[in-house]
Amino acid sequence: MAAVSTPTDRTGAPDDKRRAGRRKATKKSDRIAYLYLLPAFVLFGIFLLFPLIHGFWISLYQWDGLSASTWVGLRNYGEAFSDPGLRSAFVHSLVLIVFYALIPVSLALLLTAVMSRARHTKGLGFFRVVLFLPQVVASVVVATIWTAIYAPQGVLNDFLSAIGLHAITKPWLGDFTWALPAVGLIGTWVEIGLCLVLFLAGVSQIPRELFEAARIDGAGAIREFFTVTLPGLRPQIAVALTLSVVAGLKSFDLIYVATRGGPGTQTSVPAFEVYHRAFDVGQVGSACAIGILLTLLILIATVVINRVDPGESR
Amino acid sequence: MRNWRHETGRRVALAGVALALAAVAACAPGASNSKPDAKSTGAISTDVAKAGKVTLTEWDINTSGGADTATTQLNKEFEQKYPNVTIKRVARTLNDLKATLKLALSSKNPPDVVQANQGYPDMGAFVKANLLLPLDNYAKVYGWNNTFPKQLLALNKFSSDGKKWQTGNLYGVSQTGEIVGIYYNKKLLKQVGLPLPKTFSEFEADLPKIKAKGQLPIQFGTGDKSPAIHLFGVAQAAIAGKQEVRDMVASSGSAKWTDASTVQSAQVVSDWAKKGYLTAGANGLTGDEASANFGKGQGVFRIDGTWRLAELDQAMGSNVGFMSPPPMKAGQPSATEGGEGLAWSITSKTKHADVAGAYLNFITDAHAEDVLAKTGNLPAVQPPSYTPKAGSLNADIFAAWKTISQEDGLTPYLDYTTPTFYDTITSNLQQLIGGKLDPKAFTKALQADAGAFKQSN
C-alpha cells in the first residue's frame, strides 16, 4: 500500500532501482505468506467455502432431502421474501438483537464505568467469574434452566407471587406477548458477561494519564466516562457488538429447547426455520435459501458494525 | 500494479467459484434410486442359520424404560438362536432418529433394519425415494397377514410411489400398540362425587362440576407443541367420527378440515381453554411437566397416550385409571387417535434382506409380544400367555386397547396428514388454546395445508 503513495513517485528516477528491488522482496515474502496461509485456506475451503457453495446450489432446487429434486432457480428466495411467516421470523431476530446486543452492551458499559472506578473492590474477580459464567455453560443447559424458571409454577412466578405481584404472573414462554422478550432476556443474561469482560480489559488499556488529566480538569464520573472511557473502548465495543449481534441473528439452541418457535410461531427465528425446514418438514431447498440469506445478513451486519471501530478502517 | 494484482486475485477467485459451482452442478441433489423389487416368494430363505456370518445393523427409538429392556432382550435371544448373526444396535430418541434417518437412509451404507414413523412425512417420503423394501412376500411367508389386525397392517402400507397411504405394499411391521385416552385420578373423582363418564357429553358436563369443587378438570400442557394434537384429536374423533377423520388424514373421500364437525371440535377445545378446564398457561407447560403434575395429584383427568403407562403407574399406583374416550352416544363403540409403534422396516440397499425379514418376524411373534408385555409395554397383539394384574393401570390399558382394536375404533394421528401438517396443526392449536385464533380460522389453516398437499401429490 505504501508504494503507491510514496513521494518518490513524483520525484522520479533516483529511487526506481530501490523500489524495484523492494517490490521483488515483497513479492517473495508475499508468496511465502500465502504458503503459510495455505493449510488454513484448505481447511476453510473444505469446511466452509465448499458447504456454502453447495448450500447455495441446493437452494436453487426444490428438494425433500430424499427423492429426486426439481430445479426452481431463485424461486426459494422469492418465496422466502413473500412468506409472511418467514418475514416475521426475521423481524423476531431483529427484536432478539436488541436483547442479545444492545441491552447487554449498554448494561456492560454501565457496569464497566462503576467497576473500573471501584478497581480495588474486594472480590472483583469473583464478580467477573459469575458474570462470565453464562458464556461457559452449554446453551442447552441455559435454556433448560430458564424454561424451569419461566414455567407457570416456576421460580419467577413463585417470586412474583411472594412479593405481592401475583396479578402479573403468567406462563412466560407460553404467552403470545411475552414469549419473545422472555427468550431475549435469556440472551441478555448470556451475553452481558462477555461484553463486561471485554470492556474491563479495554479500560485497563486506556492510559492512566487520560483519567488523571480528566480528573485534574475537574471532570466527574459521568464526564470522565463520556470523554475518556467510551472513546477508549471503541475497539472493544465493536468486537462486543459484532459477537453479540451475530449471536442474536443466529440464535437457534435457546429457541429450539425453550419454545420450538411457539407459542404459535411467536418465537420462530430464521436459524430455527433452517433446521426445521431441512430436518422436520423436508424442504431442504427452502432451508438452504434461508441459510444463505441469514449468512448474507450476518455478513452485512458485521461489516456495518466494524465501521464503529476507527482502528479497523484506518 | 496493485490494481492488476487485485484484478488477478478477483479473477482467480471467480474462476474458483465457477469451477466449484460446475462441480456441484454435475449432480442435482437427491439422485434417484432405482425401484426395489419385491422378492418373489420362492427366493425367500427363512433359514437364518444357513445365511453365513451376518452383521445386521438395526436403528430403533427404544432408548429408555421397558422398550429398551425388551429390545435388548429380544436382540440377545435372536443372537443366541442364530450364533452366525451379530446385531449392531443403534438406539436414538424419536426426535434424533427422525432428524438423522433421512441422511442415513440415503447414504451408501444404510442400516439394514430401521424403525420408520408412519404417514406421509417419514414412511411415505422414504417409499417415494425407493429406500424401503416391500415386505408383502415376507408377510405371506411368516403369516403376518393373519397375526396382525388388518387395520394395523394398513397403517404400514403405501402405494409404491409413496403417494397413497394405507394401501398398496407393506413396508413394515410394528411391535406395540398405542392409543390416546383419558387417565383419571380415582381419589379425586370420588372426592368430587362423579362416576366415570359414559358419553362424551357426560365427560364435558363433568368439567364445570369439577371446577366448581375447586379442582382442575384436565391437567394439560403443550409448551413442546405436540400434546395439543391429542387433546384436539380426542374431541374430533368423538364429534366427527372415525370415518371422517380417517378420510381427512389419508386425504381420501370428500371430508374437509373446514367441515362443521371439525369446527365444532375446535370450538370445544377453545371453550375448555377459555373456561379454565385446562391448566392455566398450558402453552408454557410441557407435556412431561403436565404429566408429572398429574402424577402429583393435580387434575382429575389427563388426556394422553398409553406411552405414559409406566410413568403414571409408578407415580400413582392404584390411584390412576385409564379409559378410552367415551363415544357420543352411550353404548356406541368409541373411537380414538392411536395406532402402533413405529414400523420396523427393511432398507432397500440391505445385503441381508432374508435375515432381516426373519429378524422382523422374531421381534413381533407371540414370544416377542410376551416379552414386551412383561417389560411394561403394550404389545400390538395381546399375547395369550399374559394377564395383567386386575385393577391395575396395566389392566385398564390392555382392556381399552383390546376393545378399540376389536371394534375397529382407531383413528390415525392427525400429523400424518401432510409432511408439514405437524407444524401447522401444533402451532395453530397453540394459537387456538391461547385465544389468538377462532375455530373457523383454525380449521381454515389446516385445510389450506391439506389442500396444498393434495394438489401437489
Side-chain angles (χ1 to χ4, degrees):
Chain A
M1 242 197 284
V4 181
S5 54
T6 36
T8 46
D9 275 359
R10 264 166 279 134
T11 49
D15 266 339
D16 267 9
K17 230 181 185 171
R18 220 179 68 204
R19 272 186 63 215
R22 197 170 60 192
R23 196 186 300 143
K24 221 181 218 165
T26 327
K27 257 191 167 172
K28 200 175 167 199
S29 69
D30 266 8
R31 250 180 263 139
I32 293 173
Y34 281 128
L35 214 60
Y36 278 116
L37 284 177
L38 193 66
F41 185 78
V42 168
L43 282 180
F44 171 78
I46 294 174
F47 291 108
L48 281 165
L49 202 58
F50 177 72
L52 189 69
I53 294 167
H54 198 130
F56 174 70
W57 185 246
I58 294 175
S59 77
L60 303 176
Y61 284 87
Q62 185 183 28
W63 186 37
D64 65 0
L66 287 171
S67 34
S69 53
T70 333
W71 170 268
V72 292
L74 292 175
R75 202 172 79 193
N76 283 326
Y77 291 90
E79 277 170 6
F81 284 110
S82 62
D83 180 351
L86 202 57
R87 269 209 305 268
S88 59
F90 275 99
V91 172
H92 295 156
S93 68
L94 294 185
V95 175
L96 285 188
I97 287 179
V98 174
F99 285 99
Y100 273 70
L102 301 188
I103 298 179
V105 166
S106 315
L107 282 179
L109 279 174
L110 188 75
L111 281 171
T112 308
V114 175
M115 286 167 94
S116 63
R117 278 184 83 85
R119 189 168 294 258
H120 302 293
T121 318
K122 263 192 183 167
L124 197 61
F126 172 75
F127 287 115
R128 277 197 217 190
V129 169
V130 168
L131 283 162
F132 193 69
L133 212 56
Q135 278 285 324
V136 186
V137 179
S139 49
V140 172
V141 177
V142 169
T144 311
I145 293 169
W146 278 90
T147 311
I149 293 175
Y150 281 138
Q153 293 170 331
V155 183
L156 179 60
N157 282 339
D158 283 353
F159 172 74
L160 289 174
S161 299
I163 59 168
L165 290 175
H166 186 75
I168 64 162
T169 59
K170 46 178 71 66
W172 298 94
L173 292 174
D175 188 279
F176 283 83
T177 317
W178 287 97
L180 191 57
V183 172
L185 278 177
I186 308 176
T188 307
W189 183 74
V190 172
E191 296 298 326
I192 196 166
L194 174 78
C195 299
L196 189 65
V197 168
L198 278 172
F199 296 162
L200 285 176
V203 164
S204 67
Q205 282 171 14
I206 300 173
R208 291 284 88 200
E209 300 81 45
L210 289 180
F211 287 104
E212 279 157 21
R215 270 172 222 171
I216 288 167
D217 288 346
I222 294 169
R223 188 65 204 249
E224 182 188 304
F225 175 75
F226 280 104
T227 48
V228 182
T229 316
L230 198 58
L233 282 179
R234 275 170 85 165
Q236 283 76 24
I237 293 175
V239 172
L241 271 179
T242 310
L243 291 176
S244 55
V245 165
V246 169
L249 281 172
K250 71 182 176 74
S251 59
F252 162 76
D253 25 25
L254 284 186
I255 303 283
Y256 180 80
V257 178
T259 64
R260 293 212 158 227
T265 53
Q266 218 58 28
T267 57
S268 84
V269 289
F272 177 74
E273 281 295 318
V274 171
Y275 170 85
H276 182 60
R277 288 180 189 218
F279 294 106
D280 293 343
V281 296
Q283 300 172 346
V284 183
S286 164
C288 286
I290 301 169
I292 297 287
L293 287 177
L294 189 61
T295 310
L296 278 179
L297 192 66
I298 290 176
L299 267 178
I300 293 169
T302 320
V303 169
V304 169
I305 292 166
N306 277 303
R307 303 260 149 160
V308 174
D309 178 19
E312 293 287 316
S313 57
R314 205 168 14 202
Chain B
M1 208 59 193
R2 178 172 165 254
N3 274 342
W4 175 83
R5 182 179 287 170
H6 201 73
E7 267 303 293
T8 323
R10 197 188 289 169
R11 259 180 231 159
V12 169
L14 271 178
V17 170
L19 206 71
L21 268 178
V24 282
C27 50
S32 61
N33 296 294
S34 56
K35 192 133 288 236
D37 295 317
K39 291 183 81 178
S40 64
T41 323
I44 287 182
S45 153
T46 55
D47 194 350
V48 177
K50 276 196 190 141
K53 238 182 151 34
V54 171
T55 301
L56 211 59
T57 306
E58 165 266 289
W59 280 28
D60 65 66
I61 59 154
N62 306 323
T63 50
S64 62
D68 179 46
T69 318
T71 312
T72 312
Q73 188 182 332
L74 289 173
N75 281 357
K76 212 161 113 196
E77 285 178 10
F78 190 78
E79 285 180 333
Q80 271 162 3
K81 191 171 173 193
Y82 303 110
N84 58 322
V85 180
T86 312
I87 295 177
K88 219 174 113 195
R89 180 180 177 210
V90 178
R92 296 193 169 155
T93 62
L94 175 62
N95 276 336
D96 286 348
L97 184 98
K98 269 178 78 103
T100 47
L101 194 55
K102 278 185 192 172
L103 292 172
L105 283 178
S106 48
S107 75
K108 279 208 183 74
N109 278 313
D112 303 284
V113 172
V114 297
Q115 268 195 294
N117 204 1
Q118 286 90 353
Y120 292 105
D122 292 336
M123 193 190 268
F126 299 154
V127 170
K128 196 172 162 194
N130 300 323
L131 297 170
L132 298 181
L133 206 66
L135 303 179
D136 301 85
N137 289 323
Y138 291 105
K140 241 179 264 161
V141 168
Y142 291 112
W144 295 338
N145 296 328
N146 304 323
T147 45
F148 287 96
K150 225 174 155 182
Q151 190 191 357
L152 290 189
L153 284 178
L155 288 174
N156 293 333
K157 283 184 177 179
F158 257 104
S159 64
S160 60
D161 57 3
K163 287 188 175 177
K164 277 210 93 57
W165 183 35
Q166 307 207 13
T167 168
N169 299 329
L170 183 72
Y171 284 99
V173 278
S174 302
Q175 287 179 303
T176 54
E178 45 187 55
I179 52 170
V180 176
I182 303 174
Y183 290 94
Y184 53 91
N185 186 322
K186 291 179 184 168
K187 232 183 265 163
L188 286 182
L189 203 59
K190 211 167 165 192
Q191 226 173 62
V192 293
L194 290 171
L196 270 186
K198 289 203 177 54
T199 65
F200 192 73
S201 14
E202 260 179 55
F203 173 70
E204 279 212 86
D206 283 352
L207 304 179
K209 290 180 202 157
I210 295 168
K211 191 166 171 21
K213 293 256 165 91
Q215 292 288 349
L216 170 67
I218 301 173
Q219 175 64 248
F220 174 69
T222 190
D224 45 345
K225 290 198 151 183
S226 70
I229 298 179
H230 308 316
L231 186 79
F232 175 70
V234 160
Q236 197 199 20
I239 295 167
K242 61 185 179 192
Q243 198 50 49
E244 206 174 311
V245 177
R246 284 177 190 168
D247 284 352
M248 273 184 252
V249 177
S251 54
S252 58
S254 59
K256 282 201 161 74
W257 291 89
T258 41
D259 287 351
S261 50
T262 300
V263 177
Q264 196 195 331
S265 317
Q267 186 69 54
V268 164
V269 169
S270 158
D271 286 349
W272 286 355
K274 242 183 247 159
K275 293 179 181 160
Y277 302 158
L278 307 175
T279 313
N283 279 336
L285 189 74
T286 65
D288 284 348
E289 286 163 350
S291 195
N293 287 348
F294 183 73
K296 279 185 250 163
Q298 298 168 18
V300 175
F301 295 120
R302 168 146 182 80
I303 294 176
D304 207 338
T306 47
W307 49 85
R308 298 274 186 202
L309 196 170
E311 178 194 342
L312 291 177
D313 189 39
Q314 205 169 27
M316 303 170 78
S318 58
N319 187 30
V320 61
F322 180 89
M323 60 186 287
S324 37
M328 281 312 268
K329 287 200 187 111
Q332 270 183 341
S334 43
T336 187
E337 229 190 355
E340 45 193 357
L342 268 65
W344 291 81
S345 302
I346 303 178
T347 56
S348 56
K349 284 184 202 143
T350 181
K351 289 186 191 79
H352 314 291
D354 287 351
V355 177
Y359 173 73
L360 255 51
N361 186 52
F362 185 84
I363 60 170
T364 53
D365 67 7
H367 168 70
E369 269 142 13
D370 193 51
V371 170
L372 285 163
K374 281 181 180 145
T375 46
N377 301 282
L378 174 63
V381 181
Q382 205 163 328
S385 52
Y386 178 80
T387 334
K389 210 175 104 204
S392 66
L393 182 60
N394 233 347
D396 281 359
I397 286 182
F398 273 62
W401 170 252
K402 200 173 168 191
T403 322
I404 289 276
S405 311
Q406 278 170 356
E407 291 173 352
D408 182 33
L410 279 185
T411 59
Y413 292 112
L414 305 180
D415 53 303
Y416 289 161
T417 309
T418 79
T420 49
F421 210 73
Y422 174 84
D423 200 32
T424 307
I425 192 168
T426 53
S427 69
N428 280 292
L429 269 169
Q430 281 188 330
Q431 296 180 51
L432 180 79
I433 289 162
K436 288 268 151 185
L437 212 59
D438 64 66
K440 276 232 163 84
F442 165 75
T443 53
K444 233 169 123 181
L446 300 187
Q447 182 56 35
D449 186 316
F453 177 70
K454 201 172 180 179
Q455 215 163 36
S456 71
N457 198 5

